[in-house]
Amino acid sequence: MKKLVAFIMAAMLCVSLASCGGSTDTETTAPQSSAESSEVNSEETTAASSSAESAELKEGDSGEGEKTLDSDFCTVTIPEGLQYKINSYYHDEGALGSIKIDFGKKGTTEGRLEVSTTRMISSLDDAVNECIRVRNLDTYKEGKSEIGEEVTYGDITYKEVKMSHEYGAETCLVSYYKRADGKNIYVEIKTTQNDFDKLPIDDPLVQELAKSAVYK
């Protein structure tokens, strides 16, 4: 009887040891928690976004909206529905330079945003006169200009200037932004109206672009 009891106890001890198992030489890595995984993914996304935002704009860059373009002179968002191309962009250490961004609905140059610190202007009226001067409308047959009312998009006040000549017509929203360093900004948002390219200045997409612009 004692032998039977001893045998049963020995069997129970073996079963207990087998269920507990022994230690192994293989190390196991604890699975990453969802919180840790999210944190890593967030850091990677932030790094990628930061890298994209810091990329320098250059002449020839193009794409489709919605796209935010950040330059030394302004930040503007090209809305969905418009395509864009950087026509030119230059600046120096003295904060002089300009950027010209062509935009349109069909991949054409129906419109252009120009922001420049190279023009000698000190008021909104100066900006209007500069807009007319650079076109030298006297060289166009029956060229003429018409100064319209002031309009405000976002925090910026523009004045509308309409021009016509033998090649068609164009309308500009011009503005002036005073900088602390004295290198004031000339702003011009132009759209054309001719036989091939037509984009009204009051098109909702143009208005959206104008509202998004921040000059600096």
Side-chain angles (χ1 to χ4, degrees):
M1 184 67 177
K2 289 182 180 180
K3 290 182 179 180
L4 180 59
V5 172
F7 176 77
I8 293 174
M9 290 181 65
M12 292 176 63
L13 181 60
C14 290
V15 172
S16 177
L17 290 173
S19 63
C20 291
S23 61
T24 64
D25 294 334
T26 304
E27 293 184 359
T28 57
T29 303
Q32 192 176 40
S33 70
S34 59
E36 291 173 337
S37 178
S38 298
E39 184 177 350
V40 170
N41 291 336
S42 176
E43 289 175 355
E44 291 175 350
T45 301
T46 301
S49 174
S50 223
S51 173
E53 290 176 358
S54 63
E56 178 75 7
L57 295 178
K58 60 184 182 298
E59 184 174 328
D61 286 351
S62 62
E64 299 181 352
E66 182 173 314
K67 175 73 173 181
T68 297
L69 306 175
D70 187 18
S71 73
D72 279 13
F73 314 115
C74 73
T75 298
V76 64
T77 298
I78 307 299
E80 185 177 354
L82 290 181
Q83 298 176 324
Y84 74 90
K85 181 177 182 179
I86 308 297
N87 180 285
S88 66
Y89 179 37
Y90 74 94
H91 55 94
D92 61 21
E93 294 180 355
L96 287 176
S98 71
I99 184 168
K100 296 179 182 179
I101 304 171
D102 292 338
F103 60 85
K105 291 184 177 180
K106 298 173 292 185
T108 62
T109 54
E110 298 166 315
R112 172 179 292 176
L113 166 65
E114 177 181 355
V115 184
S116 173
T117 60
T118 63
R119 312 290 182 88
M120 302 298 291
I121 63 171
S122 58
S123 68
L124 183 56
D125 287 338
D126 282 352
V128 170
N129 293 332
E130 178 69 2
C131 176
I132 296 172
R133 182 191 70 80
V134 296
R135 283 164 175 79
N136 194 13
L137 290 177
D138 290 339
T139 64
Y140 293 122
K141 181 180 178 181
E142 298 181 355
K144 61 180 180 179
S145 61
E146 178 185 345
I147 301 173
E149 299 295 325
E150 293 183 1
V151 292
T152 300
Y153 293 115
D155 297 326
I156 305 298
T157 297
Y158 301 84
K159 185 164 280 191
E160 188 174 287
V161 181
K162 296 181 179 179
M163 285 157 286
S164 61
H165 43 76
E166 71 269 34
Y167 302 116
E170 56 189 26
T171 306
C172 296
L173 295 175
V174 294
S175 189
Y176 152 79
Y177 179 80
K178 185 175 182 179
R179 287 173 48 134
D181 60 6
K183 296 177 176 62
N184 300 325
I185 286 179
Y186 169 79
V187 179
E188 178 183 301
I189 301 175
K190 176 194 75 172
T191 63
T192 58
Q193 297 85 43
N194 57 41
D195 293 338
F196 303 101
D197 304 321
K198 294 182 180 180
L199 183 61
I201 199 71
D202 59 356
D203 185 281
L205 292 178
V206 179
Q207 292 182 346
E208 191 175 338
L209 181 149
K211 290 176 183 177
S212 75
V214 176
Y215 306 110
K216 55 189 178 179

